Structure formats: C-alpha cells, structure tokens
Amino acid sequence: MKKRNTILLLGIISIIILITAQVIIIRGVWQQKDEMLWLRYKTLSQEAAGSLRGQRTMGFDTVRYLLNWYSDSVVKEIPRIKKDIQKLPAVRNEILKSFSKVLNDEQDFSAYLSTYFENQGFEKDFNHRIEITNLELIGEDTLNIYQSEFSRNRRPPGREPMTTSLKGIKSSIMVNWFRLDDNYYSLSFEYYIDFSDKRRMILKETAASLGMSLFSIVVVVVIFLITYRNLMEEKRLSNLKTDFINNMTHELKTPLSTITVAGKTLEMEQIRTNQEKILETAKLIGKQSIHLNQLINMILEISMWERTQFQLDKKSIGIDEIMNDIVDSFRSGCGNCAALTEKYNFNGAKVDLDLVYFTTMINNLLSNAVKYSDKEPAINIEGLAENNNICIKIADNGIGISKTDQKHIFDKFYRASSGNIHKYKGLGLGLYYVKRIAEAHGGDVTVSSKPGKGSIFTITIPY
Ligand code: ADP
C-alpha cells in the first residue's frame, strides 16, 4: 500500500513538474513572439511612415481641408469665447472633440499603412488611435485649446516622442508624431496602432510548439495512467491469488481433517466392534471424500478452461422441466435448508443446453443464496421466455453485496472482503464459473443487490 502510494505520489509530482516546465517554456516562447511581433510591426509601420514622408500631409489631406474650414468658422468667435470664462472649458472640450473626430474619421493614413503591411505580406487589419498632444486656434487672437501633460513637460525631440522601452511592448505601437500647421490652427498629435487579433496571430506562429507540448503532456499522462492501472491490476490479481490459496487451504483442510479423525476413530478397539459406528464413520469419510473430490475437480476444470476452449455438450431441453428437477434435487440435497418458491412462465420453450454445466450454474447460485444469508434463507426463483431469451431470476433475502463488490464478484478468486470472510467458506470461483457457463451458452449473468436487503442474480440465455 505504502509502495503504491509512493509511486502514485512520485508520478503526480513528475507530471506537475513536467506541466510547470512546459508552461514556463510556452510562456517564454509566447513572450518572445509577442516582442518580435511588436518589433516587426513597429519597424514596418515606421518604414511605411518613412515612405509617405515625401507627400506633404501623409494621408491627412481631407483632414487638413476640413479642419481649416472648421477653424475658420471658430476663430471669428475667439474674442467672444474668451470673454465667457465660465463656458471656456466646455467650449475647449467641444472643439477638441470635433478635431479628434475629423482626425479619426477622415484620415487616409491607416489605409496607406494597411496596404503597405499587406504588400509586405503581413497582417493588414489593425485598430488605430490618435492622441492630440497640442492644439491652438490662430486668428487675430490665439486660443489655446489643449496641451497634453506629456507635451507640456517633456517636448519630444524630433519625431519620436515616446520611448520604445519594454513597457511599450505588448501595448500599442506609436507609428508617428504629426504636426499640422494651417491658416487657423496649429495641431500636433500621435498616431498609434494595435492589433486586437494579436493573440490569434501569436497563436498561429506558436501553434506547432504549443501542440507538441500539449501532445507530450497528454502522452506522458496517458502512459502514467496505463502503467499505474496495470500495476494496480497486477497487485489486485496477486492479492486475489494469495487469498485463493489461503481459502483453498482452509477449504481442503476441513474434509481432510475430518477424514483423518474418522480414520483414527476406526482404528479404535471399541469402535471396531460397533457395526453402526463403523458405518456412520465410513459414510462420513465417503461424504468428505466426495466434497474433496468436488473441490479438486472444480479447480482442475477451471485451470483446464484457462488453457482450452470451453466444450459444451448441448441438447435441446424443455427448460420448465429441467428447472423443476434442479430445484427439487437442490431442496432435498440441502435438507430443506431454505424456503424455495418457484414461478415459471417459459411457455414450453426448449433451449440448447449442456445439462451438467447448466445444473452446476443454477446450483452455484442457489447454494450462494443459502450460504450468504444471516437469517432463515428464502429464495424466490422466477423464469420467463421473452424476445428469444430465457431469463432466470434467483432472488434471496441474504446479506446483499456492496456496489464495489458487485463490480468484481464474477472475477476469478474474488471474494467480498467486507465482513468476516471465514464466516462464509469459499474459493471465489463459484460466480466466475456461473459467468463462464452463461457466456459459453451465448448468454450472460447480472446482479442487482443492496447490502442487508438481499441479491437478485439474473441469467439470460438465447434460445
Ligand atoms: P465464494 O462463494 O466461493 O466466495 P463466489 O464466486 O461464489 O465465491 O462468490 C463471490 C463473492 O460474491 C462471495 O465471496 C460473496 O461475497 C459474494 N456473493 C455471491 N453470492 C452472493 C449472495 N447470494 N449474497 C451475497 N453475497 C454473495
């Protein structure tokens, strides 16, 4: 148990380490791709801006025209605006908004960039953002509309006002700083782009390594689970075998010691003269020998099944009749050990059966129903023929079987571990035998049970 837990723990720790290592590697690759993407588009967009520099307004012709026209109408109002100090901030804001709107909606710079990216074989879809850094309206009088914090404190040298520090990476890319001076206004702004679909772009580029990492994790986990399951199965089988040997020794010892004692009894002077006692002891020896023989035959047969295919000697038999016979001889054989009730509705069905194996199968179920009972056993046997199957239900009022045990009771050597195992003698072969016989007849056996409430075994065999 301890060894098993250690293996499980080691396995889980190794898998966690593996997954953590893969996550670190993938994160590193992701970050690297992210930075590369940023740099690539930064370079590319600046190249594009450089190639447009020859053109005077670089995609802002319409903007210039519209803003000049708009400013023309506003500058006339400057003296009046300035007078109304209270309304001044709101008016400034209004003007800034109008400039911003025209800049964003009417510029062609984005379209130029997009075409440039596409021609270079890169992603052409991006979002742009324009941030006004300085705006003045110039007429006879000048009205300062906006000056950003940034431009007030630290006027950028040349055309690269923002740093390209690592902090900038992953955020939007500043493509260019523009200044437009016209008749009625002076405007500077920054133009940014970002890729809303950046995640998909990175994913596309890292798909191969990501896929390989995931695949290797899945493979390792699956291999671990299979190995662990096999280990558990081996352990379970080895436990079952040990239990079987213990049980078998127990089972064989009982008749053997009875025979030994009976032999010793027969050697005694006073017994040898008592005919009645001799007969009684001989009968006891005979009975125990038969029991021993049955046990040994059962084990031999099962080991033979393992090596060779099941050989059935089938005959077409009226199932009604045979069930009555089996139950009657069980009743008398066990000395009316249980209250047996029968109800058959086979409609005279005839089934191809191996009589010996079929009898053994029903007897095993009946003797289990008697054996695994802690009160006066009451067994109800029902049979019917439907959908080309005969169905035999053997229900008892015994100790019942837990859900966990139900999964294994048809396994070779399996004995339910709950309760006192030696209280109910057995080798864990009876139900294995039942299952094999039912399957050899093309049918099956199932169980439904509740601990303390009894069990129902159902055999179905096609006919
Ligand atoms: P054995 O009786 O020799 O132990 P079986 O293969 O006949 O082996 O049964 C396997 C286990 O199934 C038993 O150990 C017992 O716990 C459980 N079992 C079988 N039949 C019944 C029953 N009718 N009621 C309760 N438990 C049963």
Side-chain angles (χ1 to χ4, degrees), residues 38 162 166-173 193-195 198:
W38 191 91
M162 270 182 81
L166 262 179
K167 206 167 162 269
I169 289 177
K170 286 194 191 129
S171 64
S172 31
I173 300 168
I193 57 167
D194 66 54
F195 293 86
K198 194 166 72 172

Side-chain angles (χ1 to χ4, degrees), residues 157-182:
R159 282 173 175 265
E160 191 61 49
M162 270 182 81
T163 58
T164 52
S165 70
L166 262 179
K167 206 167 162 269
I169 289 177
K170 286 194 191 129
S171 64
S172 31
I173 300 168
M174 203 202 82
V175 179
N176 211 349
W177 179 78
F178 292 89
R179 186 178 174 128
L180 302 181
D181 286 314
D182 228 311

